Amino acid sequence: MASSLRELRQRRKSVSATMKITKAMELIAASKVIRARQTAQRALPYTRELNRAVSALATHASVEHPLTTPVKQVRRAALLIITSDRGMNGAYSSNAIKTAARMRIRLEQQGVEVKRYAVGRKIINYCNFRQLPVERSWEGFSDAPTYAEAHEIADALIADFLTPYEEGGVDEIHAVYTRMESMLTQVPRARRLLPLEVVAETTAAGAHEVIPQYEFEPDPETVLDELMPLYVRSRVWFYLLQSAASQLASQQRAMKSATDNANQLIESLTREANQARQAEITQEITEIVGGASALAEASAD
């Protein structure tokens, strides 16, 4: 009985130490997700105005550009997959990987070869374990990306997109990221990044937004050459920020669940330890009473 009581106390102590860790991780994730959402909000005005300029240029200037012109037959596509660098964030990474797998299957069923571009150690380790080839990979910034990293990823994708197919280039680029709908809902999404599909923005009432009149200098072709890379970088930046906020929200929720479970387990172990202690005391009293009775009988004899 004493051994069982000692074991219960050790388990309770171990679970308590684990609960302190999960609680700390929950608080850290909660503070980080606030900053991540604020960063995403600050980036929105720039992204919105850039989208408006690109929409105006694509709508009012009859200019063909390699980044906006789809090929007649897609033979090879790039698939950018964004996951986390670490675990303990629930199903965040696995959901993104499953979405990417469905996207890959859909492309391959259309006869398209797929090249993987991985962001985050989770997708990198996943591909390495299954011996899947990865064209380019980036890691170490999944929960706090910077524009410089988005710049590097976007430029690598653009370079491969502009490379001829015969030299290993791609005809399309797709991205899988996780969009943060709320603190409780994070949805993995697959989007085509290149060739660009410029869609006119709409108002809340559903009407098309009136695009301001722009004057393009020195000419639309030169402006388009400058805007297209900026547009792609802003999209990759948006994907990274959304994924980072989603990862942190998922981690906060997972750590809260782990903390609650640990607290319930501690309460259960405490009850078992109390019961074991009571049984131990009862056993000791019984032994003492039995010994006293035996001594009294011996003295009487």
Side-chain angles (χ1 to χ4, degrees):
M1 187 65 68
S3 175
S4 176
L5 178 60
R6 184 164 54 250
E7 181 179 327
L8 289 171
R9 287 173 173 172
Q10 289 175 348
R11 288 184 57 193
R12 184 176 61 184
K13 183 178 180 181
S14 176
V15 174
S16 297
T18 302
M19 188 179 70
K20 291 179 181 178
I21 296 174
T22 57
K23 184 62 177 179
M25 293 183 67
E26 176 191 349
L27 296 175
I28 292 172
S31 63
K32 284 186 175 181
V33 73
I34 294 174
R35 291 197 296 269
R37 296 185 72 177
Q38 290 174 344
T39 302
Q41 288 296 325
R42 286 196 297 267
L44 276 178
Y46 169 79
T47 302
R48 187 180 298 113
E49 290 304 318
L50 183 58
N51 292 351
R52 286 159 60 94
V54 171
S55 298
L57 186 57
T59 303
H60 300 292
S62 57
V63 178
E64 291 188 359
H65 193 275
L67 300 185
T68 61
T69 306
V71 298
K72 294 181 179 180
Q73 181 181 359
V74 179
R75 293 166 292 181
R76 183 184 296 129
L79 183 58
L80 176 68
I81 310 168
I82 303 175
T83 64
S84 66
D85 288 318
R86 303 178 182 86
M88 296 187 178
N89 45 41
Y92 164 76
S93 292
S94 61
N95 286 341
I97 292 173
K98 290 176 183 177
T99 302
R102 289 192 292 268
M103 186 67 196
R104 175 188 59 80
I105 292 173
R106 185 160 62 248
L107 290 170
E108 290 179 346
Q109 288 176 343
Q110 298 171 2
V112 178
E113 176 190 352
V114 177
K115 297 173 68 175
R116 297 174 184 83
Y117 295 73
V119 178
R121 294 192 188 100
K122 286 298 181 179
I123 181 60
I124 296 172
N125 294 338
Y126 174 88
C127 292
N128 290 339
F129 180 76
R130 288 162 178 77
Q131 297 182 346
L132 302 174
V134 175
E135 187 69 18
R136 292 284 303 274
S137 63
W138 298 266
E139 60 181 281
F141 53 83
S142 66
D143 60 346
T146 64
Y147 186 78
E149 284 135 3
H151 190 299
E152 179 183 347
I153 295 171
D155 286 0
L157 293 173
I158 292 173
D160 288 346
F161 183 77
L162 296 177
T163 301
Y165 170 82
E166 294 74 16
E167 299 178 15
V170 298
D171 301 316
E172 284 185 352
I173 295 179
H174 299 265
V176 173
Y177 74 103
T178 305
R179 185 181 180 93
M180 184 174 179
E181 302 291 345
S182 68
M183 288 297 296
L184 298 178
T185 306
Q186 297 84 42
V187 182
R189 293 187 174 184
R191 292 289 183 266
R192 195 181 87 175
L193 185 58
L194 290 176
L196 296 179
E197 291 180 306
V198 181
V199 180
E201 294 187 6
T202 58
T203 62
H208 287 290
E209 183 180 6
V210 178
I211 300 177
Q213 291 295 323
Y214 291 93
E215 292 185 4
F216 303 106
E217 294 183 358
D219 55 73
E221 291 83 357
T222 302
V223 175
L224 197 57
D225 285 338
E226 294 294 330
L227 281 184
M228 289 301 100
L230 292 177
Y231 184 91
V232 176
R233 292 166 193 159
S234 73
R235 300 315 300 172
V236 174
W237 177 226
F238 173 78
Y239 297 156
L240 291 177
L241 290 177
Q242 285 290 319
S243 296
S246 298
Q247 172 190 337
L248 293 167
S250 181
Q251 184 181 68
Q252 180 188 3
R253 191 169 64 252
M255 291 301 98
K256 185 180 187 306
S257 177
T259 301
D260 293 342
N261 291 337
N263 189 51
Q264 293 177 2
L265 183 55
I266 289 172
E267 292 178 356
S268 176
L269 291 172
T270 299
R271 285 193 298 268
E272 291 184 30
N274 290 339
Q275 292 172 359
R277 178 57 179 161
Q278 290 172 359
E280 184 181 71
I281 293 173
T282 302
Q283 179 67 25
E284 291 176 354
I285 292 174
T286 302
E287 292 175 355
I288 293 172
V289 172
S293 299
L295 289 173
E297 291 176 1
S299 300
D301 293 342

